[in-house]
Amino acid sequence: FGMDPLLVARGYDETFDQHNNFLKGVRWAPDGSCLLTCCDDHTLRLFELPRSLWSTSQTNDVLTMDPVLRMQEGETIYDYAWFPFMYSSDPTTCVFASTSRSHPIHLWDAFTGKVRGTYRAYNSKDEITSAYSICFSSGGERLYCGFDSALRVFDTSRPGRECTVISTFDKEDADQGFKGILSCIS
Protein backbone atom coordinates (compact mmCIF):
# COMPACT_ATOMS: atom_id res chain seq x y z
CA PHE A 1 0.00 0.00 0.00
CA GLY A 2 2.97 2.32 0.14
CA MET A 3 2.63 3.63 3.69
CA ASP A 4 2.36 2.28 7.21
CA PRO A 5 -1.04 2.17 8.92
CA LEU A 6 -1.91 5.30 10.87
CA LEU A 7 -4.01 5.29 14.04
CA VAL A 8 -6.69 7.95 13.58
CA ALA A 9 -9.36 6.86 16.07
CA ARG A 10 -9.90 4.36 18.84
CA GLY A 11 -13.09 2.98 20.27
CA TYR A 12 -13.74 2.99 23.95
CA ASP A 13 -16.47 1.68 26.18
CA GLU A 14 -16.51 1.33 29.95
CA THR A 15 -17.08 -2.43 29.68
CA PHE A 16 -13.76 -2.85 27.87
CA ASP A 17 -12.20 -2.28 31.29
CA GLN A 18 -13.83 -5.44 32.65
CA HIS A 19 -11.25 -8.07 33.50
CA ASN A 20 -12.63 -10.92 31.37
CA ASN A 21 -14.21 -8.93 28.53
CA PHE A 22 -12.52 -8.76 25.16
CA LEU A 23 -13.25 -7.79 21.58
CA LYS A 24 -14.19 -10.77 19.40
CA GLY A 25 -14.72 -9.06 16.07
CA VAL A 26 -15.45 -5.93 14.07
CA ARG A 27 -17.53 -5.44 10.90
CA TRP A 28 -17.52 -2.28 8.76
CA ALA A 29 -20.92 -1.10 7.61
CA PRO A 30 -21.29 -1.44 3.84
CA ASP A 31 -21.49 2.36 3.46
CA GLY A 32 -18.35 2.84 5.61
CA SER A 33 -20.09 5.10 8.12
CA CYS A 34 -19.84 2.95 11.23
CA LEU A 35 -18.37 -0.13 12.88
CA LEU A 36 -20.18 -2.98 14.59
CA THR A 37 -18.25 -4.81 17.30
CA CYS A 38 -18.87 -7.99 19.24
CA CYS A 39 -17.46 -8.59 22.71
CA ASP A 40 -17.37 -11.52 25.10
CA ASP A 41 -19.97 -9.82 27.33
CA HIS A 42 -22.71 -10.78 24.77
CA THR A 43 -22.99 -7.18 23.56
CA LEU A 44 -22.93 -5.75 20.06
CA ARG A 45 -21.75 -2.14 19.97
CA LEU A 46 -22.22 0.31 17.14
CA PHE A 47 -19.57 3.01 16.70
CA GLU A 48 -20.14 5.90 14.32
CA LEU A 49 -17.09 7.02 12.38
CA PRO A 50 -16.38 10.68 13.26
CA ARG A 51 -17.26 12.99 10.34
CA SER A 52 -13.82 14.63 10.60
CA LEU A 53 -12.30 11.33 9.36
CA TRP A 54 -14.38 11.40 6.18
CA SER A 55 -12.09 14.00 4.64
CA THR A 56 -8.83 13.16 2.94
CA SER A 57 -6.75 15.55 5.03
CA GLN A 58 -4.60 13.89 7.70
CA THR A 59 -4.48 14.93 11.32
CA ASN A 60 -2.16 13.99 14.14
CA ASP A 61 -5.01 13.86 16.66
CA VAL A 62 -6.25 10.39 17.66
CA LEU A 63 -10.01 10.61 18.10
CA THR A 64 -11.97 8.58 20.65
CA MET A 65 -15.13 6.88 19.47
CA ASP A 66 -17.85 6.01 21.98
CA PRO A 67 -20.58 3.50 21.08
CA VAL A 68 -23.81 5.13 19.95
CA LEU A 69 -25.81 1.92 20.51
CA ARG A 70 -25.47 -1.25 22.55
CA MET A 71 -27.49 -4.36 21.73
CA GLN A 72 -27.44 -7.11 24.35
CA GLU A 73 -27.84 -10.75 23.33
CA GLY A 74 -28.75 -13.41 25.89
CA GLU A 75 -25.73 -15.67 25.36
CA THR A 76 -22.46 -15.98 23.43
CA ILE A 77 -22.72 -14.29 20.05
CA TYR A 78 -21.76 -16.70 17.27
CA ASP A 79 -21.97 -14.44 14.22
CA TYR A 80 -23.37 -11.16 12.91
CA ALA A 81 -23.72 -9.56 9.47
CA TRP A 82 -24.73 -6.23 7.95
CA PHE A 83 -27.54 -5.94 5.42
CA PRO A 84 -25.59 -5.63 2.12
CA PHE A 85 -27.29 -2.40 0.97
CA MET A 86 -27.04 -0.59 4.30
CA TYR A 87 -26.82 3.13 3.66
CA SER A 88 -27.04 5.56 6.59
CA SER A 89 -29.15 8.10 4.71
CA ASP A 90 -31.88 5.44 4.23
CA PRO A 91 -32.94 4.18 7.70
CA THR A 92 -34.98 1.31 6.22
CA THR A 93 -31.71 -0.32 5.08
CA CYS A 94 -29.84 0.18 8.36
CA VAL A 95 -30.10 -3.31 9.81
CA PHE A 96 -27.86 -6.20 10.75
CA ALA A 97 -28.51 -9.76 11.89
CA SER A 98 -26.97 -11.66 14.79
CA THR A 99 -27.08 -15.19 16.11
CA SER A 100 -26.27 -16.35 19.62
CA ARG A 101 -26.28 -19.56 21.63
CA SER A 102 -29.76 -20.84 22.60
CA HIS A 103 -31.54 -17.91 20.93
CA PRO A 104 -33.19 -17.19 17.57
CA ILE A 105 -31.62 -14.98 14.93
CA HIS A 106 -32.33 -11.29 15.48
CA LEU A 107 -32.60 -8.56 12.88
CA TRP A 108 -31.53 -5.32 14.61
CA ASP A 109 -32.32 -1.72 13.69
CA ALA A 110 -29.00 0.18 13.52
CA PHE A 111 -30.71 3.50 14.33
CA THR A 112 -32.71 2.50 17.41
CA GLY A 113 -31.01 -0.68 18.65
CA LYS A 114 -34.39 -2.44 18.72
CA VAL A 115 -35.16 -5.86 17.24
CA ARG A 116 -37.00 -5.50 13.91
CA GLY A 117 -37.52 -9.21 13.35
CA THR A 118 -36.75 -12.67 14.68
CA TYR A 119 -36.02 -15.78 12.64
CA ARG A 120 -36.54 -19.04 14.51
CA ALA A 121 -35.22 -22.48 13.65
CA TYR A 122 -36.44 -25.54 15.52
CA ASN A 123 -34.92 -28.99 15.98
CA SER A 124 -36.74 -32.32 15.83
CA LYS A 125 -37.97 -31.86 19.44
CA ASP A 126 -39.52 -28.47 18.55
CA GLU A 127 -36.88 -26.59 20.55
CA ILE A 128 -35.20 -23.43 19.25
CA THR A 129 -31.82 -24.22 17.76
CA SER A 130 -29.12 -21.63 17.12
CA ALA A 131 -27.41 -20.80 13.87
CA TYR A 132 -23.62 -20.88 14.03
CA SER A 133 -23.11 -18.57 11.06
CA ILE A 134 -25.18 -16.10 9.05
CA CYS A 135 -24.87 -14.24 5.77
CA PHE A 136 -27.28 -12.16 3.71
CA SER A 137 -27.74 -13.01 0.04
CA SER A 138 -26.11 -10.52 -2.31
CA GLY A 139 -29.51 -8.87 -2.90
CA GLY A 140 -30.45 -8.93 0.80
CA GLU A 141 -33.72 -10.78 0.24
CA ARG A 142 -32.55 -13.98 1.97
CA LEU A 143 -30.64 -14.80 5.14
CA TYR A 144 -28.44 -17.91 4.92
CA CYS A 145 -27.81 -19.61 8.25
CA GLY A 146 -25.39 -22.42 9.05
CA PHE A 147 -26.52 -25.14 11.46
CA ASP A 148 -25.36 -28.66 12.33
CA SER A 149 -25.41 -30.56 9.01
CA ALA A 150 -27.87 -28.11 7.47
CA LEU A 151 -28.22 -24.74 5.82
CA ARG A 152 -31.47 -22.87 6.49
CA VAL A 153 -32.62 -20.03 4.28
CA PHE A 154 -35.02 -17.39 5.61
CA ASP A 155 -36.86 -14.78 3.57
CA THR A 156 -35.81 -11.46 5.17
CA SER A 157 -39.23 -9.92 4.46
CA ARG A 158 -40.98 -12.63 6.53
CA PRO A 159 -39.62 -13.03 10.07
CA GLY A 160 -40.74 -16.16 11.87
CA ARG A 161 -40.07 -19.85 11.66
CA GLU A 162 -40.74 -20.49 7.98
CA CYS A 163 -37.54 -21.37 6.13
CA THR A 164 -36.06 -23.69 3.54
CA VAL A 165 -33.87 -26.42 5.01
CA ILE A 166 -31.03 -27.77 2.89
CA SER A 167 -29.39 -30.81 4.43
CA THR A 168 -25.65 -31.08 3.91
CA PHE A 169 -25.47 -34.75 4.92
CA ASP A 170 -27.43 -37.83 3.94
CA LYS A 171 -27.45 -40.58 6.60
CA GLU A 172 -28.21 -43.22 3.98
CA ASP A 173 -25.24 -42.22 1.80
CA ALA A 174 -22.54 -41.38 4.36
CA ASP A 175 -19.94 -40.81 1.61
CA GLN A 176 -21.84 -37.82 0.26
CA GLY A 177 -22.17 -34.38 1.78
CA PHE A 178 -20.82 -32.57 4.79
CA LYS A 179 -21.54 -33.73 8.34
CA GLY A 180 -20.90 -31.18 11.04
CA ILE A 181 -21.37 -27.52 11.89
CA LEU A 182 -21.44 -24.91 9.11
CA SER A 183 -19.38 -22.44 11.09
CA CYS A 184 -18.86 -19.82 8.38
CA ILE A 185 -20.71 -18.64 5.31
CA SER A 186 -19.56 -16.07 2.79
Side-chain angles (χ1 to χ4, degrees):
F1 285 102
M3 62 186 279
D4 292 333
L6 177 67
L7 178 64
V8 294
R10 73 179 86 222
Y12 178 77
D13 186 71
E14 63 280 354
T15 56
F16 292 156
D17 290 335
Q18 294 176 2
H19 177 65
N20 291 327
N21 195 26
F22 56 90
L23 185 68
K24 293 172 71 174
V26 178
R27 303 273 199 290
W28 277 102
D31 72 348
S33 65
C34 50
L35 300 168
L36 182 61
T37 67
C38 171
C39 290
D40 196 49
D41 64 355
H42 320 307
T43 304
L44 295 155
R45 290 174 178 81
L46 186 70
F47 292 85
E48 217 171 40
L49 192 64
R51 296 271 180 198
S52 61
L53 294 178
W54 291 29
S55 69
T56 57
S57 61
Q58 290 187 357
T59 177
N60 291 334
D61 297 331
V62 176
L63 302 172
T64 299
M65 298 186 321
D66 293 314
V68 293
L69 287 175
R70 292 174 186 85
M71 286 70 53
Q72 185 74 39
E73 281 284 11
E75 276 286 345
T76 299
I77 298 169
Y78 290 144
D79 200 9
Y80 53 106
W82 282 103
F83 179 71
F85 296 108
M86 182 276 190
Y87 194 67
S88 291
S89 64
D90 183 2
T92 62
T93 66
C94 295
V95 295
F96 59 90
S98 67
T99 179
S100 63
R101 184 173 63 191
S102 302
H103 287 80
I105 298 155
H106 293 130
L107 185 68
W108 297 93
D109 187 304
F111 270 84
T112 65
K114 305 282 187 210
V115 174
R116 275 201 201 170
T118 301
Y119 304 89
R120 295 175 192 88
Y122 292 86
N123 62 18
S124 60
K125 298 175 183 138
D126 209 31
E127 301 166 329
I128 287 182
T129 184
S130 303
Y132 294 100
S133 57
I134 54 177
C135 179
F136 283 95
S137 62
S138 60
E141 65 280 351
R142 288 182 297 280
L143 187 59
Y144 295 100
C145 307
F147 289 84
D148 188 4
S149 301
L151 178 73
R152 295 177 193 238
V153 183
F154 291 91
D155 181 341
T156 55
S157 67
R158 297 192 53 156
R161 88 183 275 170
E162 187 177 318
C163 66
T164 302
V165 179
I166 302 168
S167 179
T168 61
F169 181 74
D170 184 1
K171 291 179 185 177
E172 295 172 8
D173 190 2
D175 294 335
Q176 298 294 317
F178 173 78
K179 182 177 182 174
I181 294 170
L182 293 178
S183 60
C184 61
I185 301 174
S186 174

